[in-house]
């Protein structure tokens, strides 16, 4: 191989290398700052989100961040009560998905799995148990959270913090809870979540694979909107 050919190959290789690097940078920047999907490994949001669901995360729902960071460049909205959001846990910095229960300034309390917001109890009604048919004990009820109805799971024989006294959410923070109320590590345990830790809003299920049945697709859950 002549020196001239070697130089051409090196130049070509560098060119392809730069192109691949730029393509990867663009793709990962898009996932970091604009939109992504999360694979949900646990049942803390059942029956709304099941293990094996792939949820779409809109990272532009509330603000725009510098890619690969949580630094906000611009903000145009804040999470609303009832939103399902992805955030970094204040306990160990892992990414979690939970529902926004308390906004800054809200007073939150719970008595025997009944939530109170600013002194007023939420309304609950019956729900079809078939949504959690693979769970042996739990049952579901529908919670009305500021006009946004969604199912929550109750597990009577599972140890959980079902009651706590009134706490006030500080400014710039939020109170998060999982829909699987008796099997969720949330603000009852790790406290309030700072606004800057919120990555984006989870809006629908992109795809779903059943962990209990050889990862078979759950077609009925594909592109299902989250309540």
């Amino acid at each position: 191989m002549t020196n001239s050919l070697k130089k051409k190959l090196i130049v070509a290789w560098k060119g392809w290398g730069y192109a691949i690097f730029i393509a990867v940078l663009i793709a990962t920047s898009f996932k970091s700052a604009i939109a992504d999907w999360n694979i949900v490994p646990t049942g803390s949001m059942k029956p709304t989100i099941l293990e094996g669901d792939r949820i779409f995360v809109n990272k532009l729902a509330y603000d725009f961040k510098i890619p690969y960071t949580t630094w906000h460049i611009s903000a145009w909205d804040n999470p609303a009560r009832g939103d399902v959001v992805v955030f970094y846990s204040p306990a160990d910095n892992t990414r979690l998905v939970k529902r926004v229960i308390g906004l800054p300034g809200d007073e939150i309390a719970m008595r025997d799995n009944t939530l109170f917001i600013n002194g007023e109890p939420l309304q609950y009604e019956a729900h079809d148990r078939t949504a959690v048919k693979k769970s042996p004990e739990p049952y579901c009820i529908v919670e009305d959270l500021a006009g946004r109805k969604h199912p929550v799971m109750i597990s009577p024989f599972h140890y959980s913090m079902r009651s706590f006294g009134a706490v006030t959410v500080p400014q710039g923070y939020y109170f998060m809870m999982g829909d699987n109320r008796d099997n969720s590590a949330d603000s009852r345990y790790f406290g309030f979540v700072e606004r800057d830790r919120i990555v984006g809003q989870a809006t629908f299920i992109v795809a779903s694979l059943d962990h209990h049945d050889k990862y078979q697709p759950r077609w009925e859950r594909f592109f299902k909107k989250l309540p």
Side-chain angles (χ1 to χ4, degrees), residues 4 91 113 135 155 198:
S4 176
N113 265 330
S135 300
S155 303
I198 298 175

Side-chain angles (χ1 to χ4, degrees), residues 7-98:
K7 288 180 179 179
K8 289 180 179 179
L9 289 173
I10 290 171
V11 170
W13 174 249
K14 286 183 177 179
W16 277 107
Y18 289 140
I20 292 171
F21 173 76
I22 291 171
V24 170
L25 183 64
I26 291 173
T28 55
S29 296
F30 181 90
K31 289 186 65 177
S32 174
I34 297 175
D36 196 1
W37 75 354
N38 272 33
I39 300 174
V40 179
T42 71
S44 69
M45 280 294 290
K46 291 170 72 172
T48 305
I49 301 173
L50 305 181
E51 302 97 320
D53 284 350
R54 274 72 170 162
I55 56 173
F56 177 81
V57 183
N58 178 8
K59 296 185 176 181
L60 295 179
Y62 312 118
D63 48 44
F64 181 70
K65 306 175 188 67
I66 297 175
Y68 316 111
T69 76
T70 57
W71 299 341
H72 295 206
I73 297 176
S74 179
W76 40 81
D77 203 357
N78 285 304
R81 188 177 292 114
D83 284 359
V84 177
V85 298
V86 172
F87 60 94
Y88 289 103
S89 168
D92 56 13
N93 221 36
T94 57
R95 283 198 5 166
L96 302 176
V97 54
K98 306 291 180 187

